[in-house]
Amino acid sequence: MIQEPDNNSTWGYIYRHPLRVSRFPNEMDSVLAEARVSPDAVFVPRYFIHKTIKAVKKHTTVREVEEITPIGFIFLHGTTAQLRQFLTDYFPQDHLINNPLTGVPAEIPNSQMNPFMQLINKQPERIKPLDNPISYFKQHPHIRITSGLLEGLEGYVVRVSGSRSLVIDIAGRSFAIKDILREAWETVE
């Protein structure tokens, strides 16, 4: 019997080498199959893997191919205690990544993760992981998005790769969301 995560619970994440990330969906299918036949309630988190769309040219034909982004993050939905127990039981080689700012396992609010996942599913080319921590961008204007898909997200307006971007903090990691001209925003004091 499968126990689903609560919709209000947070997200955590693990890191795997980018070549091993592609195996994770198959490994989760095995866990789900095992959990379905188990008489006990087994917690199985939802997961999310950051993917991008690349244009691949073969001779004269160009087609779009969805690829797993080489950052190696796998996001898992559930409380920290549930995720730790799940990883101990089924993936002992993996562990939750700590937020570099707090030193404890990262907890990403569902309200922040949902717009991020929707954007990746609809327009993955707009998101770019950054190497610098969010504190690096504090001298830039701090804004809150007030409309559109990203409504409610806060971050800093920065020019990245020639386009105006919103730099947000997700569990101590910085991500740039390009082309924020489409959304309306307000300055946060």
Side-chain angles (χ1 to χ4, degrees), residues 9 30-31 34-35 50 81 84 88 101 108-109 124 159 181:
S9 63
S30 301
V31 169
E34 184 180 321
H50 183 201
R84 276 188 175 158
T88 301
L101 303 175
I108 307 164
R159 194 162 287 283
L181 298 173

Side-chain angles (χ1 to χ4, degrees), residues 14-73:
I14 60 175
Y15 173 81
R16 281 190 168 188
H17 188 278
L19 297 176
R20 289 187 53 230
V21 171
S22 60
R23 294 186 219 148
F24 191 77
N26 293 335
E27 293 170 358
M28 281 297 286
D29 289 342
S30 301
V31 169
L32 280 169
E34 184 180 321
R36 283 190 188 104
V37 297
S38 174
D40 301 325
V42 176
F43 173 76
V44 179
R46 289 194 307 261
Y47 67 93
F48 178 75
I49 299 173
H50 183 201
K51 297 179 181 178
T52 56
I53 296 176
K54 288 179 113 178
V56 176
K57 184 177 181 182
K58 187 172 183 180
H59 304 292
T60 58
T61 309
V62 177
R63 63 185 175 96
E64 292 182 344
V65 176
E66 187 176 77
E67 288 185 351
I68 293 173
T69 307
I71 57 174
F73 295 148

Side-chain angles (χ1 to χ4, degrees), residues 13 97-107 169-173:
Y13 68 100
I97 301 299
N98 289 343
N99 182 327
L101 303 175
T102 63
V104 297
E107 291 185 349
D169 174 55
I170 296 185
R173 306 280 181 211

Side-chain angles (χ1 to χ4, degrees), residues 3 22 115 153 180:
Q3 179 187 351
S22 60
L153 286 183
I180 59 166

